[in-house]
Amino acid sequence: MNIQEEIRTLKKERNALILAHYYVPGPVQEIADVVGDSFALSQKAADTDADVLVFAGVSFMGESAKILSPDKTVLLPDAEADCPMAHMATEENIRKLKKQYPDLAVVCYINSTARLKALSDVCVTSSNALKIVRALPNRNIYFIPDKNLGQYVAGQVPEKNIILNDGYCPIHHSLTPALLLEAKKAHPEAQVLMHPECPPKTLPMADYVGSTAGILAYARQSSHKEFLVATEEGVLWQLQRENPGKQFYSPTEDFCCPGMKLITLEKVRDALKNNTNPVEIEESLRLAALRPLKRMLQLAAQRKEQ
Ligand code: 13P
Ligand code: SF4
């Protein structure tokens, strides 16, 4: 039996579902039951009949799945697969700003620890941040942890006072206008598709800005044939698979998330076989972190119906 067959057999035996983010290696995306952006994966984690969820992604994703589905076993193929940005905000600053602005809403990008979520009013992902911030009644918003996504939202929602926090994704933040210009010289016909975690000074160079799912949707419907993809390189695997007649290039070799690349087929199999790294969250923390996640799911659904 090859490793893919082993995984399929174990999945059946355990009534398990493999959820994978677009940034994990291609073979893991291929074996997954659901491949998606952070928002789609959190929706699926909140609504499935599976007994076991294997989260092929970084630890905040597995943690969110456990917060939303506490009765399920949520397994991490590698407990070391972490997102550094998820830790880049402090309770002290949150408390300080809450005192300063009585109407403050703490808006927490889903790339964050359960502890930070628990201190927040609502979670967002890169695919729903604009909708959700617009829907909030509060004028003063503390956007944690990502200053780049926060600044992108501030530019699109000028009616709000968005206070930025000094966090960032080390991968996306490494992009510079010079790197992008160089890549555009090499591929002059290419459109630039960019994740909003990229630095604000690079955003005006993009033809499209959006989440990983948004980038995939744009490329699918576009009549263009070449694209520079300014996000983690795992997305290129899915882009190429869906669009065999189009060319996709990464503007820099540095667009590689070390946490996501720790996820391998062998670790997915071993998680299912040995029940490795089950996510456990203390109940009062889980309940506090559930509130902003649920509010995100509700607001995102409401806005869709309008
Ligand atoms: P998405 O919200 O597009 O899935 O992005 C998640 C992420 O980690 C970006 O670095
Ligand atoms: Fe975190 Fe950046 Fe990796 Fe996304 S790409 S998981 S934000 S380190």
Side-chain angles (χ1 to χ4, degrees), residues 171-244:
I171 317 305
H172 290 82
H173 195 64
S174 69
L175 187 67
T176 62
L179 269 173
L180 209 45
L181 272 179
E182 200 60 30
K184 282 181 91 160
K185 250 192 237 159
H187 304 288
E189 301 300 321
Q191 280 208 321
V192 178
L193 313 182
M194 191 176 288
H195 198 281
E197 285 180 17
C198 291
K201 55 184 185 297
T202 60
L203 289 184
M205 299 171 77
D207 295 286
Y208 171 79
V209 178
S211 74
T212 48
I215 287 173
L216 278 150
Y218 183 93
R220 226 175 275 136
Q221 58 73 45
S222 172
S223 54
H224 273 78
K225 293 279 177 259
E226 289 186 68
F227 302 89
L228 275 162
V229 186
T231 191
E232 211 276 350
E233 58 92 42
V235 176
L236 272 77
W237 186 86
Q238 197 64 243
L239 282 164
Q240 247 131 26
R241 188 172 158 264
E242 287 186 13
N243 305 279

Side-chain angles (χ1 to χ4, degrees), residues 259-279:
M260 293 287 188
K261 297 309 181 231
L262 287 175
I263 310 302
T264 61
L265 282 178
E266 287 73 18
K267 290 176 192 171
V268 169
R269 175 201 55 205
D270 293 348
L272 279 167
K273 207 169 171 176
N274 308 323
N275 219 41
T276 45
N277 311 314
V279 180

